PDB file of all heavy atoms in Angstrom:
ATOM      1  N   VAL A  29     107.744 105.018 112.974  1.00 61.00           N
ATOM      2  CA  VAL A  29     108.631 104.151 113.737  1.00 61.00           C
ATOM      3  C   VAL A  29     110.073 104.483 113.429  1.00 61.00           C
ATOM      4  O   VAL A  29     110.981 104.025 114.087  1.00 61.00           O
ATOM      5  CB  VAL A  29     108.406 102.678 113.376  1.00 61.00           C
ATOM      6  CG1 VAL A  29     107.177 102.170 114.063  1.00 61.00           C
ATOM      7  CG2 VAL A  29     108.372 102.487 111.898  1.00 61.00           C
ATOM      8  N   LEU A  30     110.260 105.273 112.383  1.00 66.00           N
ATOM      9  CA  LEU A  30     111.624 105.460 111.895  1.00 66.00           C
ATOM     10  C   LEU A  30     112.454 106.366 112.786  1.00 66.00           C
ATOM     11  O   LEU A  30     113.659 106.284 112.793  1.00 66.00           O
ATOM     12  CB  LEU A  30     111.595 106.015 110.480  1.00 66.00           C
ATOM     13  CG  LEU A  30     110.882 105.140 109.477  1.00 66.00           C
ATOM     14  CD1 LEU A  30     110.831 105.814 108.133  1.00 66.00           C
ATOM     15  CD2 LEU A  30     111.575 103.798 109.370  1.00 66.00           C
ATOM     16  N   ASP A  32     112.651 108.770 116.674  1.00 69.00           N
ATOM     17  CA  ASP A  32     112.108 109.053 117.996  1.00 69.00           C
ATOM     18  C   ASP A  32     111.495 110.433 118.023  1.00 69.00           C
ATOM     19  O   ASP A  32     111.658 111.216 117.088  1.00 69.00           O
ATOM     20  CB  ASP A  32     113.253 109.031 119.017  1.00 69.00           C
ATOM     21  CG  ASP A  32     113.529 107.633 119.506  1.00 69.00           C
ATOM     22  OD1 ASP A  32     112.551 106.965 119.892  1.00 69.00           O
ATOM     23  OD2 ASP A  32     114.695 107.219 119.471  1.00 69.00           O
ATOM     24  N   ARG A  63     110.546 132.999  85.141  1.00 87.00           N
ATOM     25  CA  ARG A  63     110.587 132.656  83.706  1.00 87.00           C
ATOM     26  C   ARG A  63     109.237 132.937  83.051  1.00 87.00           C
ATOM     27  O   ARG A  63     109.158 133.452  81.942  1.00 87.00           O
ATOM     28  CB  ARG A  63     110.943 131.190  83.503  1.00 87.00           C
ATOM     29  CG  ARG A  63     112.403 130.772  83.419  1.00 87.00           C
ATOM     30  CD  ARG A  63     113.360 131.706  82.831  1.00 87.00           C
ATOM     31  NE  ARG A  63     113.001 132.277  81.545  1.00 87.00           N
ATOM     32  CZ  ARG A  63     113.772 133.112  80.866  1.00 87.00           C
ATOM     33  NH1 ARG A  63     114.943 133.466  81.352  1.00 87.00           N
ATOM     34  NH2 ARG A  63     113.396 133.600  79.721  1.00 87.00           N
ATOM     35  N   ARG A 135      96.955  93.304  79.420  1.00 89.00           N
ATOM     36  CA  ARG A 135      97.684  94.133  80.369  1.00 89.00           C
ATOM     37  C   ARG A 135      99.016  94.589  79.802  1.00 89.00           C
ATOM     38  O   ARG A 135      99.561  95.595  80.222  1.00 89.00           O
ATOM     39  CB  ARG A 135      97.921  93.340  81.648  1.00 89.00           C
ATOM     40  CG  ARG A 135      97.332  93.977  82.864  1.00 89.00           C
ATOM     41  CD  ARG A 135      97.065  92.944  83.917  1.00 89.00           C
ATOM     42  NE  ARG A 135      98.216  92.097  84.157  1.00 89.00           N
ATOM     43  CZ  ARG A 135      98.894  92.081  85.290  1.00 89.00           C
ATOM     44  NH1 ARG A 135      98.573  92.902  86.250  1.00 89.00           N
ATOM     45  NH2 ARG A 135      99.888  91.255  85.466  1.00 89.00           N
ATOM     46  N   LEU A 140      97.551 103.173  74.561  1.00 91.00           N
ATOM     47  CA  LEU A 140      97.573 104.002  73.361  1.00 91.00           C
ATOM     48  C   LEU A 140      97.686 103.140  72.104  1.00 91.00           C
ATOM     49  O   LEU A 140      97.017 103.410  71.091  1.00 91.00           O
ATOM     50  CB  LEU A 140      98.736 104.995  73.430  1.00 91.00           C
ATOM     51  CG  LEU A 140      98.805 105.977  72.278  1.00 91.00           C
ATOM     52  CD1 LEU A 140      97.544 106.819  72.221  1.00 91.00           C
ATOM     53  CD2 LEU A 140     100.011 106.873  72.401  1.00 91.00           C
ATOM     54  N   LYS A 230      92.389 109.518  83.909  1.00 90.00           N
ATOM     55  CA  LYS A 230      93.569 110.178  83.345  1.00 90.00           C
ATOM     56  C   LYS A 230      93.847 109.696  81.925  1.00 90.00           C
ATOM     57  O   LYS A 230      94.281 110.459  81.073  1.00 90.00           O
ATOM     58  CB  LYS A 230      94.792 109.908  84.229  1.00 90.00           C
ATOM     59  CG  LYS A 230      94.750 110.625  85.539  1.00 90.00           C
ATOM     60  CD  LYS A 230      96.099 110.657  86.198  1.00 90.00           C
ATOM     61  CE  LYS A 230      96.615 109.274  86.500  1.00 90.00           C
ATOM     62  NZ  LYS A 230      97.959 109.308  87.060  1.00 90.00           N
ATOM     63  N   LEU A 244      91.828 117.639  76.654  1.00 89.00           N
ATOM     64  CA  LEU A 244      93.176 117.973  76.222  1.00 89.00           C
ATOM     65  C   LEU A 244      93.191 118.406  74.752  1.00 89.00           C
ATOM     66  O   LEU A 244      93.943 119.282  74.348  1.00 89.00           O
ATOM     67  CB  LEU A 244      94.098 116.768  76.444  1.00 89.00           C
ATOM     68  CG  LEU A 244      95.583 117.073  76.365  1.00 89.00           C
ATOM     69  CD1 LEU A 244      95.965 118.160  77.338  1.00 89.00           C
ATOM     70  CD2 LEU A 244      96.379 115.825  76.672  1.00 89.00           C
ATOM     71  N   GLY A 266      94.604 121.459  83.081  1.00 91.00           N
ATOM     72  CA  GLY A 266      95.257 120.654  84.108  1.00 91.00           C
ATOM     73  C   GLY A 266      94.548 120.793  85.443  1.00 91.00           C
ATOM     74  O   GLY A 266      94.334 119.799  86.141  1.00 91.00           O
ATOM     75  N   LEU A 274      91.145 114.364  92.114  1.00 90.00           N
ATOM     76  CA  LEU A 274      91.168 114.483  93.572  1.00 90.00           C
ATOM     77  C   LEU A 274      89.816 114.104  94.157  1.00 90.00           C
ATOM     78  O   LEU A 274      89.742 113.487  95.221  1.00 90.00           O
ATOM     79  CB  LEU A 274      91.554 115.906  93.992  1.00 90.00           C
ATOM     80  CG  LEU A 274      93.051 116.217  93.945  1.00 90.00           C
ATOM     81  CD1 LEU A 274      93.309 117.645  94.381  1.00 90.00           C
ATOM     82  CD2 LEU A 274      93.837 115.260  94.821  1.00 90.00           C
ATOM     83  N   ARG A 306      99.774  98.084 110.023  1.00 39.00           N
ATOM     84  CA  ARG A 306     100.068  98.029 111.449  1.00 39.00           C
ATOM     85  C   ARG A 306      99.071  98.802 112.280  1.00 39.00           C
ATOM     86  O   ARG A 306      99.150  98.831 113.500  1.00 39.00           O
ATOM     87  CB  ARG A 306     101.459  98.604 111.693  1.00 39.00           C
ATOM     88  CG  ARG A 306     102.536  97.826 110.981  1.00 39.00           C
ATOM     89  CD  ARG A 306     103.777  98.641 110.907  1.00 39.00           C
ATOM     90  NE  ARG A 306     103.487  99.955 110.336  1.00 39.00           N
ATOM     91  CZ  ARG A 306     104.406 100.870 110.164  1.00 39.00           C
ATOM     92  NH1 ARG A 306     105.632 100.670 110.527  1.00 39.00           N
ATOM     93  NH2 ARG A 306     104.079 102.026 109.625  1.00 39.00           N
ATOM     94  N   VAL A 313      99.889  87.667 111.351  1.00 40.00           N
ATOM     95  CA  VAL A 313     101.027  87.560 110.450  1.00 40.00           C
ATOM     96  C   VAL A 313     100.557  87.231 109.045  1.00 40.00           C
ATOM     97  O   VAL A 313     101.013  87.808 108.058  1.00 40.00           O
ATOM     98  CB  VAL A 313     101.993  86.479 110.965  1.00 40.00           C
ATOM     99  CG1 VAL A 313     103.149  86.327 110.009  1.00 40.00           C
ATOM    100  CG2 VAL A 313     102.495  86.835 112.341  1.00 40.00           C
ATOM    101  N   ILE A 317     101.225  89.158 105.474  1.00 43.00           N
ATOM    102  CA  ILE A 317     101.811  88.510 104.300  1.00 43.00           C
ATOM    103  C   ILE A 317     100.888  88.673 103.103  1.00 43.00           C
ATOM    104  O   ILE A 317     101.325  89.007 102.003  1.00 43.00           O
ATOM    105  CB  ILE A 317     102.067  87.019 104.576  1.00 43.00           C
ATOM    106  CG1 ILE A 317     103.191  86.885 105.607  1.00 43.00           C
ATOM    107  CG2 ILE A 317     102.458  86.297 103.286  1.00 43.00           C
ATOM    108  CD1 ILE A 317     103.456  85.476 106.030  1.00 43.00           C
ATOM    109  N   MET A 331      99.147 102.421  86.213  1.00 54.00           N
ATOM    110  CA  MET A 331      99.334 103.852  85.992  1.00 54.00           C
ATOM    111  C   MET A 331      99.459 104.147  84.525  1.00 54.00           C
ATOM    112  O   MET A 331      99.102 105.163  84.032  1.00 54.00           O
ATOM    113  CB  MET A 331     100.584 104.330  86.690  1.00 54.00           C
ATOM    114  CG  MET A 331     101.813 103.672  86.148  1.00 54.00           C
ATOM    115  SD  MET A 331     103.224 104.004  87.175  1.00 54.00           S
ATOM    116  CE  MET A 331     104.070 105.225  86.206  1.00 54.00           C
TER     117      MET A 331
ATOM    118  N   ARG B  59     100.512 113.242  90.269  1.00 89.00           N
ATOM    119  CA  ARG B  59      99.854 111.952  90.078  1.00 89.00           C
ATOM    120  C   ARG B  59      98.441 112.120  89.549  1.00 89.00           C
ATOM    121  O   ARG B  59      97.909 111.215  88.917  1.00 89.00           O
ATOM    122  CB  ARG B  59      99.797 111.236  91.410  1.00 89.00           C
ATOM    123  CG  ARG B  59     100.126 109.784  91.339  1.00 89.00           C
ATOM    124  CD  ARG B  59     100.637 109.370  92.669  1.00 89.00           C
ATOM    125  NE  ARG B  59      99.669 108.560  93.379  1.00 89.00           N
ATOM    126  CZ  ARG B  59      99.822 107.245  93.521  1.00 89.00           C
ATOM    127  NH1 ARG B  59     100.822 106.628  92.981  1.00 89.00           N
ATOM    128  NH2 ARG B  59      98.978 106.558  94.203  1.00 89.00           N
ATOM    129  N   ASN B  60      97.813 113.259  89.832  1.00 89.00           N
ATOM    130  CA  ASN B  60      96.446 113.449  89.372  1.00 89.00           C
ATOM    131  C   ASN B  60      96.376 114.205  88.052  1.00 89.00           C
ATOM    132  O   ASN B  60      95.307 114.595  87.613  1.00 89.00           O
ATOM    133  CB  ASN B  60      95.639 114.173  90.449  1.00 89.00           C
ATOM    134  CG  ASN B  60      95.321 113.244  91.590  1.00 89.00           C
ATOM    135  OD1 ASN B  60      94.873 112.116  91.371  1.00 89.00           O
ATOM    136  ND2 ASN B  60      95.584 113.677  92.802  1.00 89.00           N
ATOM    137  N   LEU B  65      99.041 115.276  79.619  1.00 91.00           N
ATOM    138  CA  LEU B  65      99.074 116.708  79.911  1.00 91.00           C
ATOM    139  C   LEU B  65     100.463 117.140  80.392  1.00 91.00           C
ATOM    140  O   LEU B  65     100.918 118.239  80.072  1.00 91.00           O
ATOM    141  CB  LEU B  65      98.017 117.033  80.973  1.00 91.00           C
ATOM    142  CG  LEU B  65      97.728 118.513  81.183  1.00 91.00           C
ATOM    143  CD1 LEU B  65      97.089 119.104  79.961  1.00 91.00           C
ATOM    144  CD2 LEU B  65      96.838 118.724  82.383  1.00 91.00           C
ATOM    145  N   LEU B  77     109.005 129.436  77.204  1.00 81.00           N
ATOM    146  CA  LEU B  77     109.633 130.108  78.330  1.00 81.00           C
ATOM    147  C   LEU B  77     110.935 130.787  77.950  1.00 81.00           C
ATOM    148  O   LEU B  77     111.554 131.437  78.776  1.00 81.00           O
ATOM    149  CB  LEU B  77     109.884 129.108  79.457  1.00 81.00           C
ATOM    150  CG  LEU B  77     108.612 128.517  80.067  1.00 81.00           C
ATOM    151  CD1 LEU B  77     108.925 127.520  81.153  1.00 81.00           C
ATOM    152  CD2 LEU B  77     107.739 129.627  80.636  1.00 81.00           C
ATOM    153  N   TYR B  95     106.866 112.495  85.987  1.00 94.00           N
ATOM    154  CA  TYR B  95     105.579 111.844  86.265  1.00 94.00           C
ATOM    155  C   TYR B  95     105.787 110.541  87.025  1.00 94.00           C
ATOM    156  O   TYR B  95     105.138 110.285  88.038  1.00 94.00           O
ATOM    157  CB  TYR B  95     104.869 111.591  84.936  1.00 94.00           C
ATOM    158  CG  TYR B  95     103.573 110.820  85.029  1.00 94.00           C
ATOM    159  CD1 TYR B  95     102.390 111.470  85.340  1.00 94.00           C
ATOM    160  CD2 TYR B  95     103.529 109.458  84.775  1.00 94.00           C
ATOM    161  CE1 TYR B  95     101.204 110.777  85.400  1.00 94.00           C
ATOM    162  CE2 TYR B  95     102.341 108.761  84.836  1.00 94.00           C
ATOM    163  CZ  TYR B  95     101.177 109.421  85.150  1.00 94.00           C
ATOM    164  OH  TYR B  95     100.010 108.727  85.214  1.00 94.00           O
ATOM    165  N   TYR B  99     105.244 107.853  91.397  1.00 92.00           N
ATOM    166  CA  TYR B  99     104.916 106.446  91.663  1.00 92.00           C
ATOM    167  C   TYR B  99     106.056 105.762  92.399  1.00 92.00           C
ATOM    168  O   TYR B  99     105.830 104.970  93.316  1.00 92.00           O
ATOM    169  CB  TYR B  99     104.585 105.722  90.359  1.00 92.00           C
ATOM    170  CG  TYR B  99     103.268 106.149  89.797  1.00 92.00           C
ATOM    171  CD1 TYR B  99     103.170 107.251  88.958  1.00 92.00           C
ATOM    172  CD2 TYR B  99     102.105 105.478  90.128  1.00 92.00           C
ATOM    173  CE1 TYR B  99     101.958 107.677  88.465  1.00 92.00           C
ATOM    174  CE2 TYR B  99     100.882 105.885  89.645  1.00 92.00           C
ATOM    175  CZ  TYR B  99     100.818 106.984  88.815  1.00 92.00           C
ATOM    176  OH  TYR B  99      99.608 107.404  88.342  1.00 92.00           O
ATOM    177  N   VAL B 113     106.468  97.244 112.846  1.00 81.00           N
ATOM    178  CA  VAL B 113     106.963  98.192 113.843  1.00 81.00           C
ATOM    179  C   VAL B 113     107.982  97.534 114.756  1.00 81.00           C
ATOM    180  O   VAL B 113     108.978  98.140 115.134  1.00 81.00           O
ATOM    181  CB  VAL B 113     105.813  98.701 114.740  1.00 81.00           C
ATOM    182  CG1 VAL B 113     106.217  99.975 115.416  1.00 81.00           C
ATOM    183  CG2 VAL B 113     104.555  98.842 113.958  1.00 81.00           C
ATOM    184  N   ARG B 120     115.861  99.775 117.979  1.00 84.00           N
ATOM    185  CA  ARG B 120     116.107 100.905 118.876  1.00 84.00           C
ATOM    186  C   ARG B 120     116.365 100.424 120.296  1.00 84.00           C
ATOM    187  O   ARG B 120     117.167 100.998 121.022  1.00 84.00           O
ATOM    188  CB  ARG B 120     114.911 101.841 118.836  1.00 84.00           C
ATOM    189  CG  ARG B 120     114.921 102.741 117.627  1.00 84.00           C
ATOM    190  CD  ARG B 120     114.498 104.149 117.975  1.00 84.00           C
ATOM    191  NE  ARG B 120     113.164 104.175 118.548  1.00 84.00           N
ATOM    192  CZ  ARG B 120     112.073 104.417 117.855  1.00 84.00           C
ATOM    193  NH1 ARG B 120     112.168 104.671 116.574  1.00 84.00           N
ATOM    194  NH2 ARG B 120     110.912 104.440 118.424  1.00 84.00           N
ATOM    195  N   PHE B 126     119.646 106.108 114.652  1.00 77.00           N
ATOM    196  CA  PHE B 126     118.770 106.188 113.475  1.00 77.00           C
ATOM    197  C   PHE B 126     119.427 105.641 112.209  1.00 77.00           C
ATOM    198  O   PHE B 126     118.843 104.851 111.475  1.00 77.00           O
ATOM    199  CB  PHE B 126     118.350 107.646 113.259  1.00 77.00           C
ATOM    200  CG  PHE B 126     117.540 107.862 112.022  1.00 77.00           C
ATOM    201  CD1 PHE B 126     116.217 107.458 111.956  1.00 77.00           C
ATOM    202  CD2 PHE B 126     118.106 108.462 110.896  1.00 77.00           C
ATOM    203  CE1 PHE B 126     115.468 107.640 110.825  1.00 77.00           C
ATOM    204  CE2 PHE B 126     117.361 108.658 109.754  1.00 77.00           C
ATOM    205  CZ  PHE B 126     116.044 108.243 109.718  1.00 77.00           C
ATOM    206  N   ALA B 152     105.007  99.835  83.811  1.00 90.00           N
ATOM    207  CA  ALA B 152     104.085 100.900  83.423  1.00 90.00           C
ATOM    208  C   ALA B 152     104.828 102.018  82.699  1.00 90.00           C
ATOM    209  O   ALA B 152     104.334 102.568  81.714  1.00 90.00           O
ATOM    210  CB  ALA B 152     103.380 101.448  84.661  1.00 90.00           C
ATOM    211  N   LYS B 155     105.344 101.065  79.143  1.00 90.00           N
ATOM    212  CA  LYS B 155     104.136 101.219  78.342  1.00 90.00           C
ATOM    213  C   LYS B 155     103.806 102.689  78.124  1.00 90.00           C
ATOM    214  O   LYS B 155     103.291 103.077  77.083  1.00 90.00           O
ATOM    215  CB  LYS B 155     102.969 100.497  79.032  1.00 90.00           C
ATOM    216  CG  LYS B 155     103.133  98.990  79.001  1.00 90.00           C
ATOM    217  CD  LYS B 155     101.918  98.286  79.517  1.00 90.00           C
ATOM    218  CE  LYS B 155     101.813  98.422  81.006  1.00 90.00           C
ATOM    219  NZ  LYS B 155     100.722  97.597  81.558  1.00 90.00           N
ATOM    220  N   THR B 158     104.794 105.170  75.114  1.00 90.00           N
ATOM    221  CA  THR B 158     104.017 105.327  73.882  1.00 90.00           C
ATOM    222  C   THR B 158     103.362 106.695  73.794  1.00 90.00           C
ATOM    223  O   THR B 158     103.094 107.175  72.706  1.00 90.00           O
ATOM    224  CB  THR B 158     102.912 104.264  73.804  1.00 90.00           C
ATOM    225  OG1 THR B 158     102.169 104.296  75.016  1.00 90.00           O
ATOM    226  CG2 THR B 158     103.493 102.892  73.604  1.00 90.00           C
ATOM    227  N   ARG B 172     103.443 103.913  63.052  1.00 79.00           N
ATOM    228  CA  ARG B 172     102.347 103.841  62.096  1.00 79.00           C
ATOM    229  C   ARG B 172     102.331 105.088  61.209  1.00 79.00           C
ATOM    230  O   ARG B 172     102.318 105.000  59.988  1.00 79.00           O
ATOM    231  CB  ARG B 172     101.011 103.716  62.815  1.00 79.00           C
ATOM    232  CG  ARG B 172      99.829 103.742  61.886  1.00 79.00           C
ATOM    233  CD  ARG B 172      98.606 104.228  62.603  1.00 79.00           C
ATOM    234  NE  ARG B 172      98.790 105.546  63.186  1.00 79.00           N
ATOM    235  CZ  ARG B 172      98.620 106.681  62.524  1.00 79.00           C
ATOM    236  NH1 ARG B 172      98.266 106.670  61.268  1.00 79.00           N
ATOM    237  NH2 ARG B 172      98.817 107.840  63.118  1.00 79.00           N
ATOM    238  N   ARG B 218     107.341  86.245 106.795  1.00 58.00           N
ATOM    239  CA  ARG B 218     107.070  87.021 107.996  1.00 58.00           C
ATOM    240  C   ARG B 218     105.891  86.418 108.704  1.00 58.00           C
ATOM    241  O   ARG B 218     104.913  86.120 108.092  1.00 58.00           O
ATOM    242  CB  ARG B 218     106.738  88.466 107.620  1.00 58.00           C
ATOM    243  CG  ARG B 218     107.967  89.289 107.486  1.00 58.00           C
ATOM    244  CD  ARG B 218     107.632  90.757 107.726  1.00 58.00           C
ATOM    245  NE  ARG B 218     108.707  91.566 107.189  1.00 58.00           N
ATOM    246  CZ  ARG B 218     108.562  92.398 106.171  1.00 58.00           C
ATOM    247  NH1 ARG B 218     107.396  92.523 105.596  1.00 58.00           N
ATOM    248  NH2 ARG B 218     109.574  93.084 105.742  1.00 58.00           N
TER     249      ARG B 218
END
Side-chain angles (χ1 to χ4, degrees):
Chain A
V29 282
L30 300 176
D32 275 311
R63 272 328 310 182
R135 239 155 50 114
L140 184 60
K230 289 196 299 176
L244 194 56
L274 280 180
R306 299 163 308 180
V313 178
I317 291 176
M331 63 191 256
Chain B
R59 223 154 107 106
N60 286 313
L65 192 66
L77 295 179
Y95 175 83
Y99 288 87
V113 199
R120 280 221 301 264
F126 175 74
K155 291 187 287 187
T158 52
R172 176 205 57 85
R218 274 205 198 115

